[in-house]
């Protein structure tokens, strides 16, 4: 069993993990079992893309286009961020 | 500490009842249990959840006792959910029927944390003091998986089951849990009473650490493993509750608001009641919450220590229980003049002992 995701995988937030607007601290957070992740702008932008249809590669491409950033760099950020969350079971990777 | 420097709480542990069909000898509930008649009613809890959310709390953990012992559990979960909180049910599974689980699911329950007393019926039922408990729990785990409710297994480990750790990790996977908490018993409440019977040996602890390290690697992305090692064998204490009055609050069944579940053993400390005083006032201004906030209260050794902001001087209740002074350095710490007491206890208690089950004084075990 291996959990290493490739860029064709479709990342999704599993049930029990969700984005939430923290109205008291005025930040976006990711809530999961015993977990609270305060998100910065990039983290929030990435997680907001998860729609259960697009792969990591497509999401990286779309974000790169939207922010006018080099796709290599965006892909690295997206993969590192989402793989780390997948390791912690806060993101599921569906084979694409 | 100035109010501006106090951060809002992140989590609320709602101990909605002390009633429980089980009688685990390590239960973190106080030795003085609150009876049903003393429990807060539904609407007061609902108001507490709303206040908590306004205060900045994100997670509500509904715990006990066994929260399913309350008839209004579904309403309580709905109230926490409607307040905008992430709702986690901490249960032994006993009293969670198929219909009830469906109702909880519909009420917005986010997650279930199922406690494990052992991986085999003989051990689990012996530890929980409840025959048939293990089989019921397995049925409930099946129902949880059927509905797709996210599951964490909460395995409380001690001398009698720490050797079953590999089997416990396997069981977590079989039951479809995404997460497991391997929590070695922390000695407060009933566990303190039963320390000699529960304290694992050093060899057990070393082996457990090895098993966890290997499993974390092997199960990365499959099973998230949180491990709480027993702190008597550690060199430095843990930051209790992530720091006194810094991240969470506990509310007892009668509404008493505690900085940590064991805080009642500290003499001279008064706890305000959430049914009477607004939660925000208790969190920011309450005497109990301010007693050990930050670093001002610390002994000089801690103030000058480079771990000061990591463990914040350790557990106040442990200092109270072992040294008789809540303001002392946590005696687990190598820099504590009282570390010798901890070592002496470890040497003395390595032989084991019988335990006392957690039950209401003079009352028989409550029927389900
Ligand atoms: S630890 Fe055991 S006795 Fe205590 S509340 Fe949990 S299941 Fe009940
Ligand atoms: S001296 Fe105090 S701050 Fe330093 S490790 Fe020990 S308990 Fe923690």
């Amino acid at each position: 069993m291996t959990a290493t995701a490739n860029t064709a995988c479709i990342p999704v937030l599993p049930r029990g993990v969700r984005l939430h607007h923290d109205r008291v601290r005025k930040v976006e957070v990711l809530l999961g079992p015993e977990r609270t992740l305060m998100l910065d702008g990039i983290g929030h932008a990435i997680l907001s893309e998860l729609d259960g249809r697009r792969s990591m590669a497509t999401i990286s491409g779309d974000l790169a286009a939207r922010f006018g950033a080099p796709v290599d760099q965006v892909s690295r950020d997206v993969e590192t961020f989402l793989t780390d969350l997948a390791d912690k079971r806060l993101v599921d990777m569906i084979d694409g | 500490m100035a109010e501006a420097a106090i951060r809002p709480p992140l989590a609320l542990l709602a101990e909605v009842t002390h009633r429980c069909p089980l009688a685990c000898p390590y239960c973190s509930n106080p030795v003085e249990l609150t009876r049903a008649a003393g429990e807060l009613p539904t609407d007061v809890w609902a108001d507490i959840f709303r206040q908590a959310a306004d205060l900045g709390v994100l997670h509500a953990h509904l715990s006990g006792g066994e929260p399913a012992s309350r008839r209004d559990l579904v309403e309580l979960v709905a109230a926490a959910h409607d307040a905008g909180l992430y709702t986690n049910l901490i249960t032994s599974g006993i009293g969670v029927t198929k219909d009830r689980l469906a109702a909880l699911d519909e009420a917005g329950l986010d997650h279930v944390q199922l406690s494990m007393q052992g991986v085999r019926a003989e051990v689990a039922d012996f530890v929980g003091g409840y025959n048939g408990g293990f089989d019921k729990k397995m049925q409930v785990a099946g129902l949880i998986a059927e509905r797709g409710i996210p599951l964490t297994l909460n395995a409380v480990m001690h001398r009698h089951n720490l050797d079953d750790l590999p089997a416990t990790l396997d069981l977590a996977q079989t039951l479809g849990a995404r997460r497991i908490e391997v929590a070695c018993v922390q000695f407060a409440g009933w566990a303190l009473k039963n320390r000699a019977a529960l304290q694992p040996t050093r060899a057990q602890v070393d082996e457990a650490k090895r098993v966890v390290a290997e499993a974390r690697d092997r199960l990365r992305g499959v099973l998230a493993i949180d491990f709480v090692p027993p702190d008597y064998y550690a060199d430095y204490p843990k930051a209790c509750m992530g720091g006194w009055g810094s991240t969470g609050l506990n509310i007892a069944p009668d509404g008493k608001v505690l900085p940590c579940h064991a805080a009642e053993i500290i003499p001279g400390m008064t706890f305000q009641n959430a049914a009477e005083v607004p939660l925000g006032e208790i969190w920011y201004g309450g005497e109990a919450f301010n007693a050990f906030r930050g670093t001002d209260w610390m002994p000089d050794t801690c103030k000058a220590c480079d771990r000061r902001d990591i463990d914040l001087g350790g557990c106040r209740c442990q200092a109270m229980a072992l040294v008789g002074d809540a303001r002392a350095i946590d005696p687990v710490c190598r820099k504590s003049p009282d570390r010798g007491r901890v070592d002496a206890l470890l040497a003395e208690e390595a032989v084991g002992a019988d335990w006392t089950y957690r039950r209401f004084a003079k009352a028989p075990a409550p029927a389900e």
Side-chain angles (χ1 to χ4, degrees):
Chain A
M1 191 159 0
T2 164
T4 12
N6 59 58
T7 53
C9 282
I10 300 168
V12 291
L13 290 181
R15 189 171 161 190
V17 183
R18 53 186 162 83
L19 288 167
H20 177 81
H21 175 70
D22 182 337
R23 61 186 157 94
V24 174
R25 295 171 191 81
K26 303 195 170 46
V27 286
E28 304 300 326
V29 295
L30 185 68
L31 296 180
E34 298 273 349
R35 290 281 178 279
T36 306
L37 243 76
M38 304 281 168
L39 299 169
D40 58 14
I42 300 172
H44 186 249
I46 297 173
L47 291 175
S48 303
E49 295 297 309
L50 308 196
D51 55 8
R53 288 185 288 111
R54 283 175 303 153
S55 67
M56 278 216 278
T58 314
I59 289 172
S60 300
D62 291 354
L63 284 171
R66 174 146 30 110
F67 293 106
V71 78
D72 292 4
Q73 189 198 320
V74 173
S75 306
R76 262 200 313 277
D77 286 354
V78 168
E79 279 165 46
T80 311
F81 183 65
L82 292 179
T83 308
D84 178 57
L85 291 176
D87 284 351
K88 298 180 175 128
R89 297 252 26 208
L90 294 171
V91 161
D92 278 353
M93 293 288 183
I94 300 166
D95 288 336
Chain B
M1 218 178 186
E3 180 156 327
I6 303 172
R7 280 168 295 156
L10 284 164
L12 167 67
L13 182 75
E15 292 179 350
V16 293
T17 181
H18 277 162
R19 286 175 287 151
C20 183
L22 269 60
C24 309
Y26 51 69
C27 184
S28 63
N29 286 163
V31 176
E32 263 330 294
L33 295 166
T34 297
R35 289 173 192 279
E39 292 173 4
L40 295 182
T42 323
D43 57 324
V44 177
W45 275 116
D47 182 53
I48 289 173
F49 293 137
R50 282 190 293 271
Q51 289 186 50
D54 288 344
L55 206 53
V57 167
L58 299 171
H59 283 262
H61 304 285
L62 282 90
S63 175
E66 172 51 63
S69 299
R70 283 196 61 136
R71 279 174 207 281
D72 59 353
L73 178 64
V74 174
E75 286 142 276
L76 292 174
V77 166
H81 174 78
D82 293 347
L85 299 169
Y86 186 101
T87 53
N88 176 27
L89 179 66
I90 303 180
T91 178
S92 67
I94 311 297
V96 180
T97 58
K98 186 172 184 166
D99 289 352
R100 239 176 155 198
L101 195 67
L104 286 166
D105 194 0
E106 274 149 34
L109 183 64
D110 284 295
H111 177 257
V112 175
Q113 191 172 314
L114 192 65
S115 68
M116 295 296 297
Q117 283 70 24
V119 281
R120 284 166 289 125
E122 316 95 83
V123 180
D125 293 352
F126 168 62
V127 171
Y130 182 83
N131 274 332
F134 182 77
D135 291 343
K136 279 195 192 166
K137 189 188 299 285
M138 291 302 106
Q139 282 164 21
V140 174
L143 296 171
I144 293 168
E146 227 168 76
R147 295 202 75 92
I149 304 175
L151 173 68
T152 289
L153 233 51
N154 178 19
V156 180
M157 310 301 283
H158 45 81
R159 184 202 301 268
H160 298 269
N161 64 8
L162 199 49
D163 295 335
D164 286 335
L165 182 55
T168 311
L169 295 168
D170 289 347
L171 182 63
Q173 284 174 267
T174 312
L175 297 178
R178 281 188 215 158
R179 231 181 117 244
I180 184 167
E181 281 180 24
V182 177
C184 292
V185 168
Q186 300 296 299
F187 296 109
W190 289 78
L192 186 61
K193 226 178 151 69
N194 290 313
R195 187 180 54 212
L198 296 166
Q199 188 74 262
T201 65
R202 185 178 289 275
Q204 282 183 309
V205 174
D206 290 344
E207 175 61 9
K209 286 184 180 161
R210 193 196 61 76
V211 169
V212 167
E214 182 276 324
R216 273 193 178 141
D217 206 40
R218 180 171 45 96
L219 300 174
R220 176 169 305 132
V222 176
L223 183 68
I225 304 173
D226 276 356
F227 179 51
V228 184
D231 62 353
Y232 281 34
Y233 287 105
D235 291 333
Y236 297 109
K238 281 195 264 294
C240 177
M241 297 288 290
W244 186 279
S246 76
T247 33
L249 27 85
N250 282 24
I251 304 192
D254 59 358
K256 235 183 277 156
V257 189
L258 310 172
C260 104
H261 54 65
E264 283 180 281
I265 70 161
I266 300 177
M269 195 165 270
T270 46
F271 302 102
Q272 290 162 293
N273 195 299
E276 293 151 11
V277 184
L279 213 50
E281 205 174 307
I282 300 178
W283 175 257
Y284 287 107
E287 187 203 306
F289 279 86
N290 281 307
F292 302 110
R293 238 180 201 140
T295 53
D296 288 351
W297 64 271
M298 284 183 174
D300 291 341
T301 314
C302 292
K303 275 191 182 139
C305 177
D306 56 5
R307 291 183 55 88
R308 184 188 65 190
D309 301 317
I310 303 173
D311 62 45
L312 294 137
C315 173
R316 297 304 85 224
C317 305
Q318 188 138 282
M320 184 66 227
L322 299 185
V323 184
D325 176 8
R327 315 193 76 81
I329 306 175
D330 185 327
V332 157
C333 179
R334 293 284 161 199
K335 296 185 183 177
S336 159
D338 299 299
R339 172 67 214 196
R341 298 196 197 197
V342 174
D343 291 325
L345 287 170
L346 285 176
E348 218 173 276
E349 293 175 349
V351 288
D354 289 341
W355 60 42
T356 310
Y357 283 108
R358 164 238 201 253
R359 301 204 197 276
F360 286 89
K362 279 182 283 187
E368 197 195 327

